[in-house]
C-alpha cells in the first residue's frame, strides 16, 4: 500500500510503499478515507516537533483521520463502520492515564502520538488501531470525518475552561479566538453555531480579501487585525472577553489574555510556542488574575470522550461553514497540494479512498 | 461605643467613640467578640489599599469578625447566636452578583467591603449586618470564629482550583503554600488535616527558631527557605507540585508557579501584588501550560457558602494548630499590640467582649 512519510527536517513528504498492516488482537484494520493536514504536521515536517518511531528513519504522517472498518478482526466493530481514530497510544504496555481513559492527560514520556511522537500516522491506504481508539462517525459525515480530531481539541479545551468556571454563574457573552487558522476558525464556528455566544471575535493578521476573513464575516463574528489592535487593546477597542481561546502559539498571548479577559473570564490555551523571553508587568497581571477572579487553562490533545463530543458538534455545524473551511481535498496523485500553504488555504486533506 | 478606626496613610489606628448602630429592617445588631488582624488591614492602614466610606475621614477597621446576636430585630436569627459576618455589601441597592449569592465574583465598583472598601468594618463593640450575611458559628468555636473569614478565602480558592481539575482524575499528592503568614499556615493546616494531602511544603524566608517554621514542622510539612531554593528550583530540590497556593502577593510567583507545578497541576492565587515589570521566558511557560495541561486560577474574597465550609473546616482543625497559630488576643485597652508585626507574631485579634 501507499503511505505519505517524511524524514523530519530533511525535505518534503513523499509517497512510500509499505505492506498492508496486520491487525493484532483487539485491533481492527481500517481503510483510510481522508486525513487532514494541520500546523503540527508542518512542525513535524520541518523537524521542530515530534519523534521518529524506534528503528525508523521516516515517519508516516497524519493524525486527523477518518476511515472505514475493513476487517473488524473479532472486535465489536463491523465491516463498513466509519470511524475516526484517537491519536495517543501507550508507549510500553499501558499506564494509569490510558487505563482511566485520559491519555490526553499523560505527561511527556507516557504516550506516543500517531503521526507525531514515536508512532506512524494515518496517512496510508490502511491502518490498524485498537477498537477502543476508533470512534464511530455517522456515514453521512464520512467526508468531513477528518475534522473530528481538530474539533476534539477544542472540545477538550472548552471542557476544561468551562470546568474552571463551573462553581459560579457563568454564561459567556463575548468570546475571542486568537488565530484565524483552521483550528481557530472551526472554534469560532463552534462559538457561534454550537455555544450560541452572543458576540464573537477572531484575531488575525491578514488583509482583505481573504477567505478566512470572509468566513469570520459570514459567521457574524468581528475580525480584529492584530497589526492594528493588539490583544491588550481589545477591551478598549471592542470589549473585554468572557472567554479567550489561544490557537496561535504566539508566546505573549497567555499574558496578553489576562488583560483582554473580563472579570471572571477564562483563557483556554492550545497553541504551542517556542522559547521566547520578554518583559511583562507581572505585578499587574498577577493582581488582575486575583482581584478579578480570572483563570488560564492550558490543554493539549483529547480523549475518546472529546472525539465523541466532536462528532456531535460536527453534525451541528452548518454545511456552508465546512464548505468554506475545507479549501482543498487532494488525491494521492497530487497529495503535495495538501501541504501547500498560502493565503487562499484554510484546511486541506489527502484523500486515500471514498466510501 | 468604642471602635478602632484609622485615617489611611496618616498614622496608626486609634480608639474612637461612636453611637451604637441601629439595625435597619432585615439587619441584626451584633455584639462583637473578636476581630482578627491581617495583611489587608496593614495595607489599609498605610493607605495602599481600600477606600473611605462616603463622607467619612476615618475608616473603622476589621473584616474578620465573630460576634453574638444582641438584637435579632425580627430576622430569623436568635439572640445569643454566635455569627461571623461576610465582608462584601452592595454599593447602591443590590446587583446581579449579590442577588445570586456571588458577591465574591462582583467586579470593582459593584461591591463595598466592610473594613476595606467604602464601608466601616467590624472593629467596634457592636455592628449591624443583614441577617443573610451572618453565618452561624457553633458556640464552642466562638473564640476562634475570627478565623472563619480567612479560612473562607482558602475555601473559595480551593473550590475554584478543584473545579478547574473536576473533569479529570485528580488527587493531589504534593502541595505547597507560598507564604508562611497566617493565611498560608492555616491553608497548610487544611492541606494536612482536612484535605489529607500526602506531602506538603511551605515556602518562607525566616530563620529558625521561628514559630511559623515550628508550626510547619509540627504539621509534618517541609519548610522551604526561598533564600536557598527559588520556586522554579523546587521540582529539582524536592518534587513538582500538584497544587500550588500563592499567599504572598509576590509578583513573580504565578509565573514561577507554572514551573513548580507537576503535569495537570493547578496554581491557586490569592495574594495581591503591586505593579512590577520583569522578564520571563514566556514561551517556555506558555508551552508548559499547554503541553502539561496546567492551570492558574486567581480568586478573591468569598461568599456565604465558603463561610459555611470554613466553619466546618474550623471544627476539623486540631486545637493545637489554632493554639500555635493565634499568637495574641488583646483587649481594647491594649489593642495596639494586635497590630504589631514581628517574627514572633503569626495571627492576632482584638477582643471586644466575651460570650
Amino acid at each position: 500500500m501507499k503511505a505519505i512519510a517524511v524524514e523530519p527536517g530533511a525535505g518534503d513528504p513523499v509517497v512510500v510503499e509499505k505492506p498492508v498492516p496486520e491487525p493484532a488482537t483487539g485491533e481492527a484494520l481500517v481503510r483510510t478515507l481522508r486525513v487532514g493536514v494541520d500546523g503540527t504536521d508542518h512542525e513535524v515536517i520541518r523537524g521542530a516537533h515530534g519523534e521518529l518511531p524506534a528503528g525508523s528513519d521516516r515517519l508516516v504522517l497524519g493524525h486527523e483521520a477518518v476511515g472505514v472498518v475493513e476487517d473488524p478482526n473479532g472486535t465489536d466493530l463491523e465491516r463498513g463502520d466509519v470511524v475516526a481514530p484517537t491519536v495517543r497510544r501507550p508507549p510500553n504496555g499501558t499506564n494509569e492515564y490510558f487505563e482511566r481513559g485520559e491519555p490526553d492527560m499523560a505527561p511527556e514520556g507516557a504516550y506516543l502520538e500517531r503521526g507525531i511522537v514515536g508512532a506512524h500516522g494515518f496517512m496510508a491506504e490502511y491502518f490498524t488501531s485498537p477498537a477502543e481508539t476508533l470512534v464511530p462517525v455517522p456515514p453521512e459525515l464520512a467526508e468531513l470525518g477528518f475534522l473530528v480530531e481538530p474539533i476534539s481539541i477544542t472540545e477538550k479545551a472548552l471542557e476544561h475552561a468551562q470546568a474552571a468556571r463551573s462553581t459560579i454563574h457563568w454564561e459567556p457573552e463575548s468570546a475571542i479566538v486568537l488565530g484565524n487558522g483552521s483550528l481557530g476558525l472551526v472554534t469560532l464556528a463552534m462559538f457561534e453555531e454550537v455555544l450560541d455566544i452572543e458576540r464573537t471575535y477572531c484575531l488575525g493578521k491578514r488583509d482583505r480579501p481573504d477567505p478566512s476573513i470572509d468566513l469570520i464575516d459570514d459567521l457574524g463574528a468581528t475580525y480584529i487585525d492584530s497589526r492594528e489592535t493588539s490583544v491588550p487593546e481589545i477591551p478598549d477597542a471592542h470589549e473585554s472577553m468572557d472567554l479567550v481561546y489561544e490557537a496561535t502559539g504566539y508566546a505573549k498571548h497567555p499574558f496578553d489574555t489576562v488583560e483582554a479577559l473580563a472579570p471572571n473570564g477564562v483563557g483556554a490555551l492550545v497553541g504551542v510556542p517556542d522559547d521566547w523571553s520578554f518583559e511583562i508587568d507581572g505585578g499587574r497581571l498577577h493582581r488582575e488574575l486575583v482581584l478579578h477572579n480570572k483563570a488560564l487553562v492550558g490543554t493539549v490533545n483529547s480523549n475518546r470522550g472529546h472525539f465523541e463530543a466532536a462528532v456531535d458538534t460536527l453534525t451541528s455545524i452548518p454545511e456552508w461553514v465546512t464548505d468554506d473551511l475545507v479549501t482543498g481535498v487532494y488525491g494521492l496523485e497530487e497529495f503535495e497540494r495538501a501541504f501547500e500553504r498560502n493565503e487562499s488555504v484554510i484546511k486541506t486533506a489527502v484523500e486515500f479512498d471514498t466510501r
Side-chain angles (χ1 to χ4, degrees), chain A residues 45 83 331 355:
Chain A
I45 291 167
V83 291
R355 251 181 90 226

PDB file of all heavy atoms in Angstrom, chain A residues 45 83 331 355:
ATOM      1  N   ILE A  45       7.235  18.031   9.846  1.00  0.00           N
ATOM      2  CA  ILE A  45       7.987  18.013   8.579  1.00  0.00           C
ATOM      3  C   ILE A  45       9.297  18.784   8.719  1.00  0.00           C
ATOM      4  O   ILE A  45      10.355  18.328   8.296  1.00  0.00           O
ATOM      5  CB  ILE A  45       7.125  18.592   7.429  1.00  0.00           C
ATOM      6  CG1 ILE A  45       5.960  17.624   7.119  1.00  0.00           C
ATOM      7  CG2 ILE A  45       7.962  18.860   6.173  1.00  0.00           C
ATOM      8  CD1 ILE A  45       4.859  18.204   6.243  1.00  0.00           C
ATOM      9  N   VAL A  83     -15.141   5.407  11.013  1.00  0.00           N
ATOM     10  CA  VAL A  83     -14.508   5.671  12.318  1.00  0.00           C
ATOM     11  C   VAL A  83     -13.420   6.741  12.196  1.00  0.00           C
ATOM     12  O   VAL A  83     -12.794   6.903  11.150  1.00  0.00           O
ATOM     13  CB  VAL A  83     -13.872   4.384  12.909  1.00  0.00           C
ATOM     14  CG1 VAL A  83     -14.937   3.376  13.314  1.00  0.00           C
ATOM     15  CG2 VAL A  83     -12.876   3.761  11.923  1.00  0.00           C
ATOM     16  N   GLY A 331      -6.211  13.931  -3.963  1.00  0.00           N
ATOM     17  CA  GLY A 331      -5.895  12.509  -4.051  1.00  0.00           C
ATOM     18  C   GLY A 331      -4.393  12.282  -3.941  1.00  0.00           C
ATOM     19  O   GLY A 331      -3.586  13.227  -3.991  1.00  0.00           O
ATOM     20  N   ARG A 355     -15.938   6.189   0.213  1.00  0.00           N
ATOM     21  CA  ARG A 355     -16.751   5.136   0.815  1.00  0.00           C
ATOM     22  C   ARG A 355     -17.375   4.215  -0.182  1.00  0.00           C
ATOM     23  O   ARG A 355     -17.545   4.039  -1.158  1.00  0.00           O
ATOM     24  CB  ARG A 355     -17.892   5.750   1.629  1.00  0.00           C
ATOM     25  CG  ARG A 355     -17.694   5.580   3.110  1.00  0.00           C
ATOM     26  CD  ARG A 355     -18.860   6.171   3.864  1.00  0.00           C
ATOM     27  NE  ARG A 355     -19.913   5.169   4.066  1.00  0.00           N
ATOM     28  CZ  ARG A 355     -21.199   5.395   3.845  1.00  0.00           C
ATOM     29  NH1 ARG A 355     -21.602   6.545   3.374  1.00  0.00           N
ATOM     30  NH2 ARG A 355     -22.090   4.437   4.066  1.00  0.00           N
TER      31      ARG A 355
END
